[in-house]
Amino acid sequence: MVVVISVSILAVILTYFSSCSKYYRQLLFITAFFLVTILQVIHYDYGTDYMGYFTDHMFYSRNWKELLYLRQIGHGAFKDMGWVLIARLFPGKYGFFLLVGIVSIIQNYIYYKLIKDYVIRKDRWKAMAIYLFTTNLYVINFSGIRQGFAVALCVWAILLASKDKLWFAVAITLLATGIHVSALVFLPFLFLSKLDLKRGRLYAVTFFVVAMALYLSSTLLGGIYAKIMGFFPLLSRNYGHYIKTMSSTGEPLGFGFLLNSVMYIIIIYFIYKKFEEFTKEQRIFLLLIGVSFWLIPFSTHISGIISRLSTYFTVFEIVAVPLVYSKIRNNVVRMGVGIIFAFMMMFSYYKFFFVNQWSSESYATFKTIFSAILE
C-alpha cells in the first residue's frame, strides 16, 4: 500500500515538473510512467483477484481435451477463451509473471500515449493524477488484470477509430472481448468516429433527459437491463451470477452522488454550449463520459458490478476532465469544481485503502514476484 501510494505521488510530481522543465520534459514524463509500470510488472499476490488468476493459469497448460471439458462444465477459469489462448503462450509460474509484465507494459504505454497526445503539457500532471488515483483505473488493475487490459485495448481502439482506422479498431475491441467479454459493450461506440458530431445541443439535451428518466424510473432501468442482457447473451451467461450476488440495496442517491455529478454536469454543459470548439477526438471523449453518467443508476439500483462496465467510459476522464477544467473561465467556479472533483477522487482512494474491507486487506502489503521466485 505504502509503496503504491508513494510511487503514484512521485509519478504525479515528476509529471508536474516535466511541464515546467525546458530540458528534461520528455525524460521526466517517461520516468513517471516507467515507475508506475515497473510496479505493476513486478507485483505479486496483490489485490483480491491476483492469486485467482495465478491458480487459473496453471490449468491452461493442460491438453485441449481437458480444457474443453473444464469449459463445458462451467469452470470459472474458462469464461473468456481469448485469455486462455494468450495464456497458453506463457506456461507455468514464470510464464504467468511474464504475461502480467507484458500486459502491464502494453497497458501503461496506451495510457502514456493517451495523455501525451491528447492532454496539453501543462495539464498532464492532472491527467496522471486521475489515472493513478481513480481507484477503478491504475490501482484496480493490480488485481483485475484481464478487465484492466481489455479497458486499455478499448482506449487504443477508440483512438484508432478516430483516425479513420475503424476496422482495425473493431478487431482490437473483439480481441479485448475475447480477453474479457464485458468489452463487448464498447463495440458500438467505435462508430461514433463515423458520425458528424456537430449537434452538441442535441447530444447534451439527450444526455440530460435520458439521465433523468433513468434516475427516476426503476421500471425503465429493469427493462433496459433485460434488453441488454438478452442482446448480449455472453454477458448474461458469464457474468449474470455476479450481478445477482452483488445486487444493489436500492438505497437512495445521497450527497456524495451530487458531488460526484458536478463534473458530469459541467461536461454536459460544455457539450451544449461549446461543442464546436473541440476536436473530433475530444468530442468523442466527452460523449463517452456522458454515457458513463447513464450507467450510475444501473449500478445503484440493479447491481454494483455494473460499475465495472462503466470503466470503459469513465477511463476517458483522464483526458476529458483536464480539457473541460481548462475551459472554465470563472476563477471561483473553476476552483470550486476542481476542489470538489479532487476531494471526491481522493476520498474514494482513501476508502479503498483504509476503509473498505474487501480492498484494504488485499491491498495492504505490496509483494513482488521476487518473493515467489526465491521461495
Side-chain angles (χ1 to χ4, degrees):
M1 174 181 64
V2 174
V3 174
V4 173
I5 295 173
S6 300
V7 170
S8 297
I9 292 172
L10 178 59
V12 172
I13 292 172
L14 289 173
T15 305
Y16 175 78
F17 283 118
S18 75
S19 65
C20 305
S21 174
K22 292 183 178 180
Y23 305 106
Y24 303 106
R25 288 175 178 173
Q26 198 63 16
L27 177 61
L28 289 171
F29 187 47
I30 291 173
T31 301
F33 258 100
F34 173 79
L35 291 175
V36 297
T37 301
I38 202 66
L39 212 60
Q40 282 193 324
V41 168
I42 66 172
H43 83 284
Y44 172 75
D45 191 12
Y46 193 61
T48 54
D49 297 341
Y50 183 96
M51 292 309 293
Y53 280 119
F54 182 81
T55 302
D56 290 346
H57 190 82
M58 298 303 112
F59 285 105
Y60 300 149
S61 58
R62 298 186 179 188
N63 64 62
W64 275 107
K65 185 177 180 180
E66 287 185 76
L67 294 183
L68 293 174
Y69 172 73
L70 289 169
R71 175 173 170 76
Q72 184 180 6
I73 64 173
H75 193 288
F78 301 92
K79 290 193 297 289
D80 300 300
M81 291 303 291
W83 178 257
V84 175
L85 292 172
I86 294 171
R88 280 180 66 84
L89 301 174
F90 303 89
K93 178 171 74 172
Y94 299 116
F96 179 73
F97 297 155
L98 179 59
L99 174 59
V100 171
I102 292 172
V103 165
S104 299
I105 291 169
I106 295 172
Q107 190 170 271
N108 282 286
Y109 180 72
I110 290 170
Y111 290 121
Y112 164 79
K113 289 290 290 181
L114 177 69
I115 295 174
K116 179 177 178 292
D117 294 346
Y118 296 97
V119 181
I120 60 175
R121 185 176 289 114
K122 71 181 182 66
D123 287 338
R124 284 179 184 170
W125 70 272
K126 298 170 188 172
M128 179 67 98
I130 293 169
Y131 171 50
L132 297 179
F133 294 112
T134 300
T135 52
N136 64 346
L137 297 178
Y138 176 71
V139 175
I140 203 69
N141 291 342
F142 284 97
S143 176
I145 298 167
R146 284 192 302 117
Q147 189 178 14
F149 190 32
V151 170
L153 290 176
C154 288
V155 170
W156 183 25
I158 203 70
L159 299 183
L160 290 170
S162 67
K163 291 181 171 63
D164 296 321
K165 298 178 180 179
L166 178 60
W167 297 112
F168 188 22
V170 169
I172 294 297
T173 306
L174 291 176
L175 172 63
T177 301
I179 292 169
H180 202 283
V181 73
S182 61
L184 191 61
V185 301
F186 194 75
L187 186 61
F189 296 94
L190 296 178
F191 294 89
L192 285 173
S193 63
K194 290 298 182 182
L195 300 181
D196 193 25
L197 299 183
K198 291 182 179 179
R199 301 177 180 178
R201 294 194 173 191
L202 175 62
Y203 304 143
V205 170
T206 301
F207 278 129
F208 183 77
V209 171
V210 173
M212 291 301 99
L214 292 173
Y215 286 112
L216 295 175
S217 175
S218 57
T219 303
L220 178 62
L221 283 175
I224 294 174
Y225 164 73
K227 291 287 186 183
I228 292 173
M229 297 306 279
F231 190 73
F232 296 113
L234 273 176
L235 283 175
S236 179
R237 185 183 69 202
N238 289 354
Y239 296 98
H241 65 287
Y242 288 117
I243 292 174
K244 291 178 181 178
T245 57
M246 296 182 66
S247 59
S248 171
T249 59
E251 293 180 0
L253 303 173
F255 186 61
F257 163 78
L258 295 177
L259 293 180
N260 273 320
S261 298
V262 169
M263 187 56 74
Y264 289 110
I265 293 169
I266 295 293
I267 287 173
I268 291 174
Y269 169 80
F270 274 97
I271 292 174
Y272 184 84
K273 293 288 288 185
K274 300 184 178 182
F275 200 56
E276 68 282 353
E277 295 182 10
F278 300 107
T279 66
K280 177 183 177 181
E281 291 89 347
Q282 290 170 343
R283 293 176 188 182
I284 292 173
F285 298 152
L286 294 176
L287 293 177
L288 291 172
I289 292 295
V291 173
S292 70
F293 193 43
W294 288 349
L295 292 175
I296 296 174
F298 287 95
S299 61
T300 304
H301 293 291
I302 294 179
S303 175
I305 195 67
I306 296 177
S307 65
R308 298 288 294 273
L309 291 179
S310 70
T311 306
Y312 290 98
F313 305 97
T314 57
V315 64
F316 295 99
E317 288 182 2
I318 293 172
V319 289
V321 169
L323 171 66
V324 168
Y325 183 79
S326 68
K327 291 186 175 293
I328 300 175
R329 300 305 177 201
N330 186 290
N331 291 333
V332 175
V333 173
R334 186 168 65 249
M335 181 177 294
V337 169
I339 290 172
I340 291 171
F341 182 82
F343 172 78
M344 294 306 294
M345 180 176 69
M346 296 311 298
F347 182 62
S348 176
Y349 193 75
Y350 168 78
K351 289 199 301 180
F352 184 89
F353 279 109
F354 298 102
V355 179
N356 298 336
Q357 186 175 359
W358 71 270
S359 56
S360 60
E361 293 179 359
S362 59
Y363 282 85
T365 305
F366 185 80
K367 302 175 186 176
T368 72
I369 56 175
F370 304 114
S371 62
I373 292 172
L374 297 174
E375 282 181 347

